[in-house]
Amino acid sequence: MSKSEKDARPNPAQAPKQDVSPSAARPSARIAKGFRDIEAAELKGLNEMLSVIRGVYETYGFEALETPALEYTDALGKFLPDQERPNAGVFSFQDEDDQWMSLRYDLTAPLARYVAQNMQTLPKPFRRYAYGNVYRNEKPGPGRFRQFMQFDADTVGSDSIAADAEMCMLAADTLEALGVKRGDYVIKVNSRKVLDGLRDATEIDSDSRWLSVMRALDKFDRLGRDGVALLLGSGRKDESGDFTPGAGLDEQAIFRFLQLLTFREKIDDAFGETKFLFNPVITTSEPGGPLVPRSLTSTIAFGIRHYVEQVQQRDIRTLVRLESGLSEIENLGLLIHAAGYDDGRIVFDPSVVRGLEYYTGPVFEAELTFEVKGDDGKPVRFGSVGGGGRYDDLVSRFTGERVPATGFSIGVSRLQAALALIKDRKQTALGPVVVLVMDKPEIAAYQRLTQTLRDAGIRAEMYLGSSGMKAQMKYADKRNAPCVIIQGSDERAKGEVTIKDLIEGAKAAAAIKDNKEWKEQRPAQLAVAETQMVDEVRKIIARHQD
Amino acid sequence: MSKSEKDARPNPAQAPKQDVSPSAARPSARIAKGFRDIEAAELKGLNEMLSVIRGVYETYGFEALETPALEYTDALGKFLPDQERPNAGVFSFQDEDDQWMSLRYDLTAPLARYVAQNMQTLPKPFRRYAYGNVYRNEKPGPGRFRQFMQFDADTVGSDSIAADAEMCMLAADTLEALGVKRGDYVIKVNSRKVLDGLRDATEIDSDSRWLSVMRALDKFDRLGRDGVALLLGSGRKDESGDFTPGAGLDEQAIFRFLQLLTFREKIDDAFGETKFLFNPVITTSEPGGPLVPRSLTSTIAFGIRHYVEQVQQRDIRTLVRLESGLSEIENLGLLIHAAGYDDGRIVFDPSVVRGLEYYTGPVFEAELTFEVKGDDGKPVRFGSVGGGGRYDDLVSRFTGERVPATGFSIGVSRLQAALALIKDRKQTALGPVVVLVMDKPEIAAYQRLTQTLRDAGIRAEMYLGSSGMKAQMKYADKRNAPCVIIQGSDERAKGEVTIKDLIEGAKAAAAIKDNKEWKEQRPAQLAVAETQMVDEVRKIIARHQD
């Protein structure tokens, strides 16, 4: 770095003077591939949303933390598929000491670094929330960007199932606080242990085959029963002709998996009772009849146990992982019930598969269940807007000490897109009042009018370009100004201003036939004393707000 | 990237399972050099601050824009001192198409890219605000980080001096809205043209010498008259022994520069009148006497003109740039006066030098004038918290078309540090109410109590660790909880809870002599019916807030 640059460091906007260069040497003005600019209306919605989420997370006792966007690559974790290509998946480079640095690809890896680094002084458990942009060096696509925002809550240092239950309740409360109606969303819970138990039960030995099975199960929501059946068997060709190889299970094994996954449907049919989904009470359906679980959680667990014992002819107690996962879910259900969330907000769903290689216990998925139009015009469920689960091995990477942790993460942009659909929010906000510049030498007078409006708390600006009246009106329209302030020499002499209501004006203009009539009527326009300006402008803004 | 990673993309927290690795292979948990974590209390202050600044900027009619953190290096500008070393000054790397990408080093270069890219559709002038982190690959030092936040406002496409005047008023309003008292700050204005004019007047031919002169002038606030004199002459050795070579001017030239720079002081002495600093009225000091400028702006301009004509024996009209700069400042003063900001909030100061190679017209500097203790314990002015100016050549880099622009940028962290000094804000906020877990099997009951508090809008959490009573109390203290909720089997049987006020409790404990007395009195502790819990907790929180 040159000395001149160093000296100028305190100046925020520093760059050498640019000569107007010949066009051959000019760079093209383009945003980087996979990135996007976010404009005023969307930012307004985003800020409101972040503020609501912050409020809920703080009510739950989480406290804020912000870690930097850049970390040493090794501190983010050796998650890289290929150490020789540190730019695959994440954006990385070497610093001046030849150390690899990376842009964070999520908020959990930096949290693990923070906890390991500050272990001695942190309260235990440590409960923090964080939000910010994360970066992925992946192929961009429609709605799939290389920079996007996540909003996370994590409890580190607690192995209590209550910490997991709380994540589900937090997710439900957050969605409702943001305006998603009860019934328009569901928080699905599963456990990595249930999944592992299913592997034991189905006796799949090969790791790679089990991975294929898990990936197939993960697509249940999107591809349905038939699509998953293909992926469990010989493979599936999608609409574009791409072929995904299958897990190669035989017919019977496929049938068994589909049985396991669709317990919920079948139980709904059989019992017609999903009201107390997480109420772990087991009753008899008729006096003296066999014991029947009343809650869906218990019902599904009951179903899985029954299936293993009756259909597979195995003692469930030999399937240690399956049994442990099922009790974990039942204990979680108990807490959900105690807190009053067992009304369909939070449900057990053994088809939920998340971050296979990452989670160690319960996993959660927040889904919006209302329908939107898909790319093909057909209605589809909006789907996942967040998820999380228990990951007990992240901090040990640094310290060797196992630190139990659980977390939940919201995909902010995706959720914001969903909220826009629900609320049908206006995507254009009302702009500032524009004070027109009629006589350039009187610019100080216009400045004073502008300042009078601002002092009254009204968003206002004086037109700062050099164009005439027509262009100024166009500018005010483009800014979505509620009204413009006009003061020509006549008005100035009388101490008056003319206020033109642009929104009323546009309506009136549409109703008027010719220019002559327009000039005579001058609709939506009134002359008032300067001292009345603030009051009149306030009335106009009040008229057009919402 | 492996297929498994692609498939798992929708899951926010994705990384392969980590085995607990032998300590030799473990990375050290450390934040990258020059970066920092920001914790809850500071983030709270930051968010409040950002919200106030946003409010003021929106009142001025600026609208929000967020550009990505990464841009193509060439689109950020060929400001790099060495094209072969794109990591000097900025963090850069090559993407998969071998294109250089960089982390933004300010918010102005991305704005230029955005404007050039969207020229056709933007309102003109385009007035936007933006805030976010920027990244500098520079040597970190105390209070000097590689990631820090800026908050910018810019008006692009206006060459009106009113746009510049407005930046100064915006800066003043923002500082006051944040709680800086009038008189505790000053917005200093100069013009690049005045500086260029001074070069003409002092007949310095060599560019490199002029650069040295400018750098010397820029240090006037920090080094004072004598330090600057050394830097203008033979050079200066600082406390650490580092030698900075001087501009090599002769005694007379040095004297002239110091004369020019200290007009303000001398004029204050001579006229004793700085009340209407920017009032451009010129009056006579006594009937029939010579014309004397009343305002400080005009006074300084008058002084500079006088100096050039009398001392240097030159016709001011031959110094076109100087005269043009002085009139620019006087026109700006006119608008400042019209808007009522000519009371010392905004002043002309010919010693202000900012971003030499960047600005083309007026430059601004926002300074806090109150004193704080310096590193050596001596009182020093807090100094600059932001600045800006007119830069007319940034967009032309892309389009060849000259687009006039002016902007103001706040150094957010530095300003936040200053506000903390003014307000003496509590740096610890009240934490959540902690519900203790007395009997593990009753965890569902504690969960219900916690949820009751949350439903009432009270920040609350159930203790999620596995330790006993003593550790739980310690945890609550560490979280700065206002109180804890205790429910043992006795209380549960009676439908009661015990609420312990931790803040009152700590005070009481200090006043109590022995353990026996403690046990008898149990200060700051009360048993109430569960139904009364919310009301009682509210009382305690109200007692301890602020």
Side-chain angles (χ1 to χ4, degrees):
Chain A
M1 185 178 41
S2 74
K3 183 153 186 329
S4 89
E5 286 225 335
K6 248 192 197 152
D7 281 345
R9 171 73 199 290
N11 301 335
Q14 177 65 13
K17 185 171 177 182
Q18 304 287 337
D19 289 324
V20 174
S21 38
S23 73
R26 275 182 222 135
S28 134
R30 72 237 185 268
I31 194 167
K33 194 177 67 180
F35 291 82
R36 70 196 193 97
D37 297 313
I38 309 181
E39 291 170 358
E42 186 178 343
L43 282 174
K44 187 166 181 285
L46 177 63
N47 276 324
E48 286 165 5
M49 201 177 134
L50 293 177
S51 156
V52 169
I53 303 177
R54 275 205 307 262
V56 177
Y57 282 35
E58 287 184 358
T59 302
Y60 272 75
F62 292 97
E63 58 176 51
L65 174 69
E66 194 177 298
T67 60
L70 282 172
E71 299 264 359
Y72 290 128
T73 304
D74 68 343
L76 282 187
K78 48 174 186 176
F79 82 107
L80 297 166
D82 183 349
Q83 292 283 349
E84 302 305 307
R85 290 161 51 242
N87 256 333
V90 294
F91 292 104
S92 304
F93 56 89
Q94 278 176 294
D95 74 359
E96 74 283 7
D97 308 326
D98 291 334
Q99 290 208 68
W100 278 101
M101 300 189 75
S102 296
L103 279 163
R104 63 183 178 197
Y105 56 90
D106 72 5
L107 300 174
T108 313
L111 171 65
R113 187 271 305 156
Y114 176 82
V115 170
Q117 190 174 353
N118 299 283
M119 193 68 105
Q120 297 313 313
T121 54
L122 291 180
K124 287 163 200 78
F126 176 60
R127 310 172 74 244
R128 82 89 180 80
Y129 72 86
Y131 58 97
N133 287 314
V134 300
Y135 304 85
R136 305 264 171 103
N137 194 2
E138 294 173 349
K139 209 181 148 199
R144 201 173 151 115
F145 294 95
R146 292 176 148 189
Q147 169 179 328
F148 55 94
M149 186 178 272
Q150 294 189 332
F151 203 125
D152 283 21
D154 291 82
T155 295
V156 181
S158 166
D159 56 13
S160 169
I161 192 76
D164 301 289
E166 189 181 60
M167 289 296 162
C168 301
M169 298 189 287
L170 176 75
D173 284 3
T174 301
L175 291 177
E176 293 196 9
L178 288 169
V180 182
K181 280 204 208 81
R182 203 165 290 184
D184 274 355
Y185 72 89
V186 63
I187 315 299
K188 294 177 170 178
V189 186
N190 194 12
S191 169
R192 174 73 196 266
K193 292 176 192 161
V194 171
L195 294 168
D196 286 344
L198 290 178
R199 178 178 176 177
D200 299 342
T202 48
E203 294 175 320
I204 293 174
D205 285 336
S206 145
D207 279 356
S208 71
R209 174 168 294 183
W210 177 243
L211 212 62
S212 304
V213 169
M214 301 296 273
R215 281 202 206 109
L217 303 188
D218 198 20
K219 299 202 171 66
F220 190 73
D221 268 3
R222 194 153 59 82
L223 302 181
R225 199 184 165 94
D226 296 344
V228 171
L230 288 172
L231 287 175
L232 288 173
S234 54
R236 176 177 176 275
K237 193 179 280 189
D238 68 16
E239 299 72 28
S240 72
D242 280 356
F243 181 75
T244 310
L249 300 188
D250 62 28
E251 290 279 318
Q252 202 188 10
I254 294 172
F255 177 75
R256 283 181 181 176
F257 265 108
L258 294 177
Q259 289 274 83
L260 286 166
L261 285 187
T262 54
F263 267 124
R264 183 167 168 200
E265 289 167 31
K266 282 181 292 161
I267 286 157
D268 281 355
D269 292 348
F271 298 99
E273 170 62 87
T274 56
K275 202 171 156 201
F276 302 103
L277 297 177
F278 252 121
N279 179 351
V281 179
I282 300 194
T283 61
T284 55
S285 60
E286 49 194 80
L291 280 179
V292 170
R294 290 265 310 178
S295 83
L296 190 59
T297 307
S298 293
T299 307
I300 295 174
F302 180 89
I304 292 176
R305 288 189 182 102
H306 177 82
Y307 173 85
V308 166
E309 291 185 343
Q310 303 298 312
V311 181
Q312 297 210 69
Q313 306 260 322
R314 298 176 62 171
D315 185 346
I316 183 82
R317 285 166 303 181
T318 66
L319 297 167
V320 180
R321 293 201 288 186
L322 182 58
E323 186 53 31
S324 143
L326 291 173
S327 352
E328 192 170 83
I329 292 291
E330 284 171 319
N331 285 331
L332 190 142
L334 228 132
L335 293 166
I336 297 295
H337 172 64
Y341 286 69
D342 55 339
D343 54 0
R345 281 182 270 177
I346 304 171
V347 304
F348 172 40
D349 185 333
S351 74
V352 170
V353 179
R354 286 191 66 86
L356 329 175
E357 295 151 19
Y358 185 96
Y359 293 114
T360 54
V363 287
F364 334 115
E365 182 102 36
E367 281 190 19
L368 301 185
T369 53
F370 57 82
E371 290 185 338
V372 294
K373 262 189 190 155
D375 293 339
D376 54 2
K378 285 181 192 157
V380 289
R381 283 181 147 205
F382 191 91
S384 176
V385 290
R390 178 164 284 280
Y391 55 99
D392 286 344
D393 295 329
L394 265 186
V395 178
S396 65
R397 197 152 59 70
F398 297 106
T399 59
E401 191 188 335
R402 204 159 178 272
V403 179
T406 185
F408 179 75
S409 176
I410 292 174
V412 173
S413 312
R414 204 172 148 70
L415 181 52
Q416 189 178 2
L419 294 178
L421 290 174
I422 294 174
K423 295 200 177 170
D424 197 20
R425 279 173 206 252
K426 267 189 238 166
Q427 281 289 306
T428 51
L430 220 52
V433 173
V434 175
V435 177
L436 304 191
V437 175
M438 312 296 288
D439 313 302
K440 277 222 171 143
E442 297 298 335
I443 198 170
Y446 299 122
Q447 182 72 62
R448 196 174 38 71
L449 291 175
T450 309
Q451 215 56 31
T452 304
L453 290 166
R454 286 175 184 163
D455 289 346
I458 296 167
R459 292 186 67 194
E461 58 173 47
M462 177 172 79
Y463 175 71
L464 289 169
S466 55
S467 301
M469 172 80 174
K470 211 171 153 187
Q472 295 192 32
M473 289 297 294
K474 237 186 206 166
Y475 172 83
D477 275 334
K478 207 154 192 174
R479 291 301 309 277
N480 203 26
C483 60
V484 294
I485 307 293
I486 303 171
Q487 191 181 55
S489 50
D490 289 359
E491 284 131 333
R492 190 158 36 252
K494 288 188 277 181
E496 285 185 354
V497 294
T498 294
I499 305 175
K500 192 170 157 60
D501 180 332
L502 293 189
I503 297 162
E504 281 305 312
K507 283 187 210 153
I512 279 181
K513 275 173 249 106
D514 58 33
N515 212 20
K516 186 169 160 285
E517 190 183 346
W518 174 266
K519 284 206 169 151
E520 281 159 8
Q521 297 198 1
R522 300 227 175 241
Q525 197 164 306
L526 79 164
V528 298
E530 274 189 31
T531 50
Q532 295 300 306
M533 176 179 69
V534 164
D535 285 346
E536 289 301 329
V537 167
R538 277 205 179 115
K539 281 184 208 159
I540 291 172
I541 290 175
R543 202 150 62 210
H544 298 308
Q545 238 154 14
D546 297 62
Chain B
M1 186 178 46
S2 75
K3 185 157 182 325
S4 89
E5 285 227 334
K6 245 190 195 152
D7 282 344
R9 170 75 199 289
N11 301 336
Q14 176 66 17
K17 185 171 178 180
Q18 305 285 337
D19 287 324
V20 175
S21 38
S23 74
R26 274 182 225 135
S28 133
R30 75 239 182 264
I31 193 167
K33 194 177 65 179
F35 291 82
R36 71 196 193 99
D37 297 313
I38 309 181
E39 292 171 357
E42 185 179 342
L43 281 174
K44 189 166 179 283
L46 177 62
N47 276 324
E48 287 164 4
M49 200 177 136
L50 293 177
S51 156
V52 169
I53 303 178
R54 275 206 306 263
V56 178
Y57 282 35
E58 286 184 358
T59 303
Y60 272 75
F62 292 97
E63 57 176 51
L65 174 69
E66 193 177 300
T67 60
L70 282 172
E71 299 263 358
Y72 290 127
T73 303
D74 68 344
L76 282 187
K78 44 173 187 176
F79 82 106
L80 297 166
D82 184 349
Q83 292 284 348
E84 302 304 306
R85 292 161 50 240
N87 256 333
V90 296
F91 292 105
S92 305
F93 56 89
Q94 278 177 293
D95 74 0
E96 75 283 7
D97 307 325
D98 291 333
Q99 290 208 67
W100 278 101
M101 298 188 76
S102 296
L103 279 163
R104 62 184 179 196
Y105 56 89
D106 72 5
L107 300 173
T108 314
L111 170 66
R113 188 271 305 156
Y114 177 82
V115 169
Q117 191 175 355
N118 299 283
M119 192 69 105
Q120 296 313 313
T121 53
L122 291 180
K124 283 163 205 81
F126 176 61
R127 308 172 75 246
R128 82 91 180 77
Y129 73 86
Y131 58 97
N133 287 315
V134 300
Y135 305 85
R136 304 263 172 100
N137 194 0
E138 293 171 353
K139 210 180 146 199
R144 200 174 151 115
F145 294 95
R146 292 176 149 191
Q147 169 178 325
F148 55 95
M149 188 178 272
Q150 295 189 332
F151 203 127
D152 284 20
D154 290 83
T155 296
V156 181
S158 167
D159 56 13
S160 169
I161 191 74
D164 301 289
E166 188 180 61
M167 289 297 162
C168 301
M169 299 189 287
L170 176 75
D173 285 3
T174 302
L175 291 177
E176 294 196 9
L178 288 168
V180 183
K181 280 203 207 81
R182 203 164 292 182
D184 274 355
Y185 71 91
V186 63
I187 314 300
K188 293 177 170 181
V189 186
N190 194 10
S191 170
R192 175 72 197 267
K193 291 176 191 161
V194 171
L195 294 167
D196 287 343
L198 291 178
R199 178 177 176 176
D200 299 340
T202 47
E203 293 175 321
I204 293 174
D205 284 337
S206 145
D207 279 357
S208 71
R209 173 168 294 182
W210 177 242
L211 213 63
S212 305
V213 169
M214 301 296 274
R215 279 200 208 112
L217 303 189
D218 198 20
K219 301 203 168 64
F220 190 72
D221 269 2
R222 194 153 60 81
L223 303 182
R225 199 186 165 92
D226 295 344
V228 171
L230 288 170
L231 287 174
L232 288 173
S234 53
R236 177 178 176 275
K237 192 180 279 188
D238 69 15
E239 298 72 30
S240 73
D242 280 357
F243 181 75
T244 310
L249 299 189
D250 61 27
E251 290 280 321
Q252 200 188 8
I254 294 172
F255 177 73
R256 282 181 183 176
F257 265 109
L258 294 177
Q259 287 276 84
L260 286 166
L261 286 186
T262 52
F263 268 124
R264 188 175 163 190
E265 290 168 29
K266 284 182 291 163
I267 286 158
D268 281 358
D269 291 347
F271 297 98
E273 170 61 270
T274 57
K275 200 171 156 202
F276 301 103
L277 297 177
F278 251 124
N279 180 351
V281 178
I282 300 194
T283 60
T284 54
S285 58
E286 48 193 79
L291 280 178
V292 170
R294 290 263 312 176
S295 83
L296 189 58
T297 306
S298 293
T299 307
I300 294 175
F302 179 88
I304 292 177
R305 287 190 184 100
H306 177 80
Y307 173 85
V308 167
E309 291 185 343
Q310 302 297 313
V311 181
Q312 300 211 64
Q313 306 262 319
R314 296 178 62 172
D315 183 347
I316 182 84
R317 285 166 304 180
T318 66
L319 297 167
V320 180
R321 292 202 287 187
L322 182 58
E323 185 52 31
S324 142
L326 292 173
S327 354
E328 193 171 83
I329 292 291
E330 284 171 317
N331 285 332
L332 191 142
L334 225 131
L335 293 166
I336 297 294
H337 172 63
Y341 286 69
D342 54 341
D343 54 0
R345 281 183 269 179
I346 305 172
V347 303
F348 172 38
D349 185 333
S351 74
V352 171
V353 178
R354 284 190 68 86
L356 327 174
E357 298 150 17
Y358 184 98
Y359 294 115
T360 55
V363 287
F364 333 116
E365 183 101 35
E367 281 189 22
L368 301 185
T369 53
F370 57 83
E371 290 185 336
V372 293
K373 264 190 189 150
D375 293 340
D376 53 3
K378 287 184 192 156
V380 289
R381 285 181 144 205
F382 192 90
S384 176
V385 290
R390 178 164 284 280
Y391 55 98
D392 285 344
D393 294 328
L394 264 186
V395 177
S396 67
R397 197 153 59 72
F398 298 106
T399 59
E401 192 188 336
R402 203 159 179 272
V403 179
T406 186
F408 178 75
S409 176
I410 291 174
V412 173
S413 313
R414 203 172 148 68
L415 181 51
Q416 191 178 358
L419 294 178
L421 290 174
I422 293 175
K423 296 200 175 170
D424 196 24
R425 281 172 205 254
K426 268 188 238 168
Q427 283 288 309
T428 50
L430 219 52
V433 174
V434 175
V435 177
L436 303 191
V437 175
M438 311 296 288
D439 313 303
K440 275 224 174 143
E442 297 298 335
I443 196 170
Y446 300 121
Q447 182 73 62
R448 197 175 36 72
L449 290 176
T450 309
Q451 214 56 33
T452 305
L453 290 167
R454 286 175 184 162
D455 289 345
I458 295 167
R459 291 187 67 194
E461 59 174 47
M462 179 172 80
Y463 174 73
L464 290 168
S466 54
S467 302
M469 174 81 174
K470 210 171 156 188
Q472 295 192 34
M473 288 298 294
K474 237 187 207 166
Y475 173 81
D477 274 333
K478 207 155 193 172
R479 291 301 309 278
N480 202 26
C483 59
V484 295
I485 307 293
I486 304 171
Q487 191 180 55
S489 50
D490 290 358
E491 285 131 332
R492 190 160 34 254
K494 288 189 279 180
E496 284 184 357
V497 294
T498 295
I499 306 175
K500 191 169 158 60
D501 181 330
L502 294 189
I503 297 162
E504 281 304 312
K507 282 187 213 157
I512 279 181
K513 276 173 251 108
D514 58 32
N515 212 19
K516 185 169 164 283
E517 189 183 347
W518 175 267
K519 282 204 171 153
E520 280 159 10
Q521 297 197 1
R522 301 226 173 242
Q525 196 165 306
L526 79 166
V528 298
E530 273 188 34
T531 49
Q532 295 301 307
M533 175 180 69
V534 164
D535 285 346
E536 289 302 327
V537 168
R538 278 208 179 110
K539 281 183 210 158
I540 291 172
I541 291 175
R543 200 149 63 211
H544 298 310
Q545 239 155 13
D546 299 68

